[in-house]
Amino acid sequence: MKNNILKVFSTNIMILSLIAYILGLTDSAFRQVYPSEDGFSYLINSIQYFVLWVLPYWWLIIIGGALLLTFLYYILKKQQSNS
């Protein structure tokens, strides 16, 4: 059960990080700070923007959301096993 919860927690972190990454690409600051000419530089600049700008502000929300979703998963799993 503990292994399963850790797997759910890490999956939640990855999903919420991906959502934050995609939302970071829609930010106008990304286009202003990291202008890109081709696809490869766009990819490198987007990862750099995510690590240096998005994660420092959103890491606590990502961790908190992953904990909340894991807790909800645990509660639903426990209720399902009691039924």
Side-chain angles (χ1 to χ4, degrees):
M1 182 75 168
K2 184 179 177 181
N3 236 357
N4 196 18
I5 289 177
L6 289 176
K7 191 182 295 186
V8 170
F9 178 70
S10 61
T11 303
N12 287 333
I13 285 182
M14 286 188 280
I15 291 170
L16 292 174
S17 295
L18 181 65
I19 291 170
Y21 176 77
I22 292 170
L23 289 176
L25 294 179
T26 64
D27 192 7
S28 63
F30 169 65
R31 287 183 226 104
Q32 291 173 355
V33 175
Y34 296 102
S36 303
E37 295 82 31
D38 58 1
F40 182 72
S41 65
Y42 185 83
L43 177 67
I44 298 299
N45 288 341
S46 68
I47 293 171
Q48 185 178 6
Y49 179 75
F50 178 69
V51 170
L52 297 177
W53 288 74
V54 175
L55 277 183
Y57 295 104
W58 284 86
W59 70 269
L60 190 60
I61 295 169
I62 291 170
I63 299 286
L67 284 171
L68 179 67
L69 289 173
T70 304
F71 182 67
L72 289 174
Y73 169 80
Y74 177 73
I75 288 173
L76 290 174
K77 196 73 162 169
K78 195 172 183 179
Q79 281 183 350
Q80 195 175 41
S81 67
N82 288 341
S83 297

